[in-house]
Amino acid sequence: MENQKDLRCYTLHFFYKVEGAELYNGKTGYVSTSFDQCTKEMETNSTVEGFNKLSEWYRKLVAEQLKISIEQVIPISRDWYNKNTEMQEEEF
């Protein structure tokens, strides 16, 4: 068992509130994304600093894709995301 490879993998989830994007007709919208990595690759990303670095990277990507400023992409909690996306679905 000495040479057994560590096969654990982790998924990090990121949630954002988006203000003023054309995709949401200029209103508030919500975006979620995730990042999957295996144990060896996760060593630097498993810290709070690593998580925050990845969150900012995704935040920048979301802003670029929606053609808005990064300030319009606001990190939020999973609870905030779930509460607000459920409310949004009820409106349709």
Side-chain angles (χ1 to χ4, degrees), residues 39-51 53-54:
T39 304
K40 185 175 181 177
E41 298 154 337
M42 279 299 295
E43 290 172 6
T44 58
N45 298 324
S46 63
T47 64
V48 171
E49 183 181 292
F51 179 89
K53 185 184 272 187
L54 282 171

Side-chain angles (χ1 to χ4, degrees), residues 79-90:
D79 290 339
W80 183 264
Y81 175 85
N82 287 338
K83 178 182 175 186
N84 286 280
T85 55
E86 287 171 9
M87 287 172 43
Q88 219 171 31
E89 289 174 4
E90 290 173 4

Side-chain angles (χ1 to χ4, degrees), residues 31-45:
V31 175
S32 70
T33 188
S34 61
F35 178 79
D36 296 319
Q37 285 273 312
C38 289
T39 304
K40 185 175 181 177
E41 298 154 337
M42 279 299 295
E43 290 172 6
T44 58
N45 298 324

Side-chain angles (χ1 to χ4, degrees), residues 50-86:
F51 179 89
N52 289 339
K53 185 184 272 187
L54 282 171
S55 178
E56 283 301 301
W57 183 73
Y58 275 113
R59 186 175 170 219
K60 182 180 176 185
L61 284 178
V62 169
E64 288 174 0
Q65 289 175 347
L66 296 177
K67 297 179 173 88
I68 57 176
S69 72
I70 195 167
E71 290 79 20
Q72 291 172 270
V73 182
I74 303 154
I76 58 173
S77 69
R78 180 194 304 255
D79 290 339
W80 183 264
Y81 175 85
N82 287 338
K83 178 182 175 186
N84 286 280
T85 55
E86 287 171 9

